[in-house]
């Protein structure tokens, strides 16, 4: 039974990673619009002044998604440390 849970957890983990990559690809495709139609007269490249509202929303979405990823990694590190400490106290 434990091996089945391990395989199931592995498949779920791979699925989460693939969804994460799909979200980054989606944001990247949305940002291609900014890169294709960038106008130097509007401001420096990647500055807020040179972006449309849509581009600002996409960049903000990437920042939010990065924050979610960092929090997820911190959570997984916390769970791993907690599990290692629990095993150390049992032995």
């Amino acid at each position: 039974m434990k091996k089945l849970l391990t395989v199931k957890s592995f498949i779920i983990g791979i699925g989460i990673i693939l969804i994460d990559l799909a979200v980054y690809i989606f944001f990247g495709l949305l940002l291609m619009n900014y890169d294709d139609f960038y106008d130097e007269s509007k401001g420096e490249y990647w500055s807020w002044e040179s972006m449309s509202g849509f581009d600002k929303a996409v960049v903000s979405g990437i920042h939010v998604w990065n924050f979610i990823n960092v929090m997820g990694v911190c959570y997984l590190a916390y769970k791993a440390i907690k599990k290692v400490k629990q095993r150390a106290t049992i032995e």
Side-chain angles (χ1 to χ4, degrees):
M1 184 70 175
K2 186 169 177 113
K3 186 174 185 170
L4 180 64
L5 287 175
T6 305
V7 171
K8 184 179 177 182
S9 297
F10 178 76
I11 291 171
I12 290 172
I14 295 296
I16 290 172
I17 290 170
L18 290 175
I19 290 170
D20 189 50
L21 288 173
V23 170
Y24 276 115
I25 289 169
F26 177 72
F27 279 132
L29 290 172
L30 291 177
L31 278 176
M32 287 176 73
N33 184 45
Y34 172 77
D35 200 38
D36 290 342
F37 298 107
Y38 167 69
D39 184 11
E40 289 182 13
S41 65
K42 291 183 179 179
E44 189 175 326
Y45 191 67
W46 281 107
S47 67
W48 284 104
E49 294 82 25
S50 67
M51 293 185 184
S52 67
F54 176 77
D55 297 328
K56 290 177 186 179
V58 173
V59 170
S60 297
I62 288 174
H63 290 309
V64 169
W65 194 249
N66 286 337
F67 178 75
I68 290 170
N69 276 297
V70 168
M71 295 308 294
V73 168
C74 289
Y75 175 75
L76 291 175
Y78 168 75
K79 293 287 278 188
I81 290 169
K82 188 175 176 182
K83 197 170 199 174
V84 167
K85 284 184 178 181
Q86 186 180 28
R87 283 187 183 175
T89 57
I90 291 173
E91 295 176 357

